[in-house]
């Protein structure tokens, strides 16, 4: 999932020497990133919180030898070695656990580090990320196939499909949809908000809301005028994901204060991994967000 903007200049300065070192230290026996099934799944490094959750949901955690720092659920996963933040990996960190395979969520990076990992002899399987019900089911099936447990993955996919379908139906009868502004951060007094093609946009829609901003994809710093024009009814933010923005700072922002959400001080905070993970717990997250938005209007 895309939580934070990248810093190309910083990436080049930090990772250029690492890439050079890694290429010298790891002589590839042939790139193997095109495989879909690990020939030896005994020591898998899981990169991406939803990937790790899916492995545990499949009951195949015995294969895991490492995780990334976004993989903090279930609690048992915290006992695994942490190879770093999924968007700031180093080849040495991942390779230090001697994995027999790398299972990584699309968007892992930086590109230089991932390219190095893909050029080693260690099989690298990349799992697509689509912020939808079908995207979750696809992830489950790909992870199951990679670990050689297709049948178990199909059972889990069907269970999740039923739960997700039911969760979406809970807001089907609601006529007046809330306009939601997902705020990733406040930088220099400016709001960094989620547009289309983001996990936040996907969750807002699944929970029966409307993304208050549009016309761009990814995350964008909004002008005061754009925030006021968007007129959100609710502000949605993550908790447990980076430095928190105090309520007083948020509602003290002039643009936010001029919106219906600011006037009513309507703010919802939900754990970032839970809200935006798009994994086995997403049906529950949809329900919780919907209840926070619509209360008793949500039908079970």
């Amino acid at each position: 999932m895309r939580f934070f903007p990248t810093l190309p200049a910083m990436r080049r300065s930090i990772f250029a020497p690492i890439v050079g070192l890694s290429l010298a230290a790891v002589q590839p026996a042939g790139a193997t990133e095109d495989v879909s099934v690990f020939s030896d799944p005994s020591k898998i490094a899981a990169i991406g919180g939803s990937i790790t959750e899916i492995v545990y949901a499949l009951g195949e955690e015995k294969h895991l030898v490492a995780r990334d720092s976004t993989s903090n659920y279930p609690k048992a996963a915290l006992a695994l070695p942490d190879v770093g933040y999924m968007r700031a990996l180093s080849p040495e960190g991942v390779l230090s656990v001697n994995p027999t395979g790398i299972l990584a969520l699309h968007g892992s990076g930086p590109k230089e580090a991932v390219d190095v990992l893909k050029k080693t002899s260690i099989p690298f399987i990349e799992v697509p990320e689509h912020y939808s019900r079908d995207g979750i089911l696809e992830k489950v099936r790909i992870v199951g196939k990679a670990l050689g447990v297709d049948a178990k993955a199909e059972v889990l996919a069907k269970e999740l499909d039923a739960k997700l379908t039911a969760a979406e139906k809970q807001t089907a009868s609601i006529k007046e949809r809330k306009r939601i502004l997902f705020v990733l951060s406040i930088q220099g007094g400016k709001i960094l908000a989620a547009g289309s093609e983001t996990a936040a946009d996907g969750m807002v829609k699944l929970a029966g809301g409307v993304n208050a901003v549009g016309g761009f994809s990814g995350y964008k710093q909004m002008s005061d005028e754009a925030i006021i024009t968007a007129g959100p009814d609710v502000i949605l933010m993550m908790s447990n994901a980076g430095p928190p923005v105090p309520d007083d700072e948020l509602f003290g922002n002039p643009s936010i204060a001029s919106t219906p959400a600011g006037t009513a001080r309507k703010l919802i905070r939900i754990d970032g991994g839970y809200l935006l993970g798009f994994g086995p717990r997403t049906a529950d997250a949809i329900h919780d967000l919907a209840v926070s938005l619509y209360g008793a209007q949500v039908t079970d």
Side-chain angles (χ1 to χ4, degrees):
M1 49 193 148
R2 291 182 293 183
F3 285 174
F4 302 102
T6 57
L7 299 174
M10 184 178 293
R11 288 199 318 203
R12 287 194 293 271
S13 64
I14 293 175
F15 288 99
I18 291 177
V19 171
L21 174 62
S22 299
L23 285 172
V26 183
Q27 295 299 322
T32 54
E33 71 268 26
D34 293 330
V35 301
S36 59
V37 183
F38 292 122
S39 58
D40 178 5
S42 62
K43 298 171 65 179
I44 303 302
I47 310 298
S50 62
I51 302 303
T52 302
E53 284 193 38
I54 290 169
V55 173
Y56 273 87
L58 289 169
E60 297 297 320
E61 62 270 19
K62 62 182 178 292
H63 296 291
L64 297 179
V65 69
R67 64 177 179 92
D68 79 304
S69 61
T70 71
S71 298
N72 51 30
Y73 185 90
K75 187 176 180 180
L78 298 176
L80 293 166
D82 183 348
V83 297
Y85 176 50
M86 66 171 286
R87 301 193 191 283
L89 299 171
S90 75
E92 287 83 359
V94 178
L95 298 175
S96 69
V97 297
N98 298 312
T100 59
I102 300 168
L103 191 58
L105 187 62
H106 177 75
S108 298
K111 182 180 184 299
E112 297 90 343
V114 170
D115 286 346
V116 168
L117 293 171
K118 287 182 176 180
K119 289 174 182 174
T120 71
S121 59
I122 299 168
F124 187 106
I125 296 178
E126 186 173 71
V127 183
E129 177 79 292
H130 303 293
Y131 306 118
S132 64
R133 175 172 55 86
D134 288 343
I136 295 170
L137 305 183
E138 180 186 31
K139 283 198 282 190
V140 169
R141 292 182 174 115
I142 290 174
V143 171
K145 183 178 179 65
L147 298 177
V149 291
D150 300 69
K152 291 177 73 171
E154 194 58 38
V155 170
L156 178 60
K158 288 180 179 178
E159 291 176 355
L160 294 179
D161 189 19
K163 290 180 179 179
L164 288 162
T165 299
E168 290 181 72
K169 287 181 179 178
Q170 291 175 333
T171 57
S173 63
I174 294 173
K175 302 300 182 183
E176 294 186 13
R177 303 283 169 159
K178 300 287 188 182
R179 295 177 59 80
I180 317 301
L181 177 67
F182 181 87
V183 175
L184 181 63
S185 65
I186 300 179
Q187 301 174 350
K190 295 295 184 181
I191 302 297
L192 190 64
S196 63
E197 298 180 29
T198 61
D201 181 73
M203 274 300 297
V204 164
K205 292 174 180 176
L206 288 172
V210 176
N211 191 344
V213 297
F216 65 93
S217 60
Y219 293 90
K220 179 181 178 181
Q221 194 173 76
M222 307 291 291
S223 67
D224 291 350
E225 292 78 10
I227 295 294
I228 294 170
T229 300
D233 302 302
V234 179
I235 307 298
L236 178 62
M237 299 187 74
M238 295 184 293
S239 58
N240 304 319
V245 176
D247 288 13
D248 287 345
E249 179 182 350
L250 175 70
F251 292 117
N253 182 282
S255 61
I256 295 293
S258 300
T259 67
T263 300
R265 292 182 69 91
K266 182 61 177 177
L267 168 65
I268 298 171
R269 295 184 191 266
I270 299 178
D271 177 81
Y274 179 59
L275 177 68
L276 305 182
F278 278 81
R281 296 182 292 161
T282 295
D284 293 331
I286 292 170
H287 172 77
D288 290 352
L289 177 56
V291 170
S292 295
L293 292 172
Y294 301 111
Q297 295 183 73
V298 174
T299 58
D300 291 325

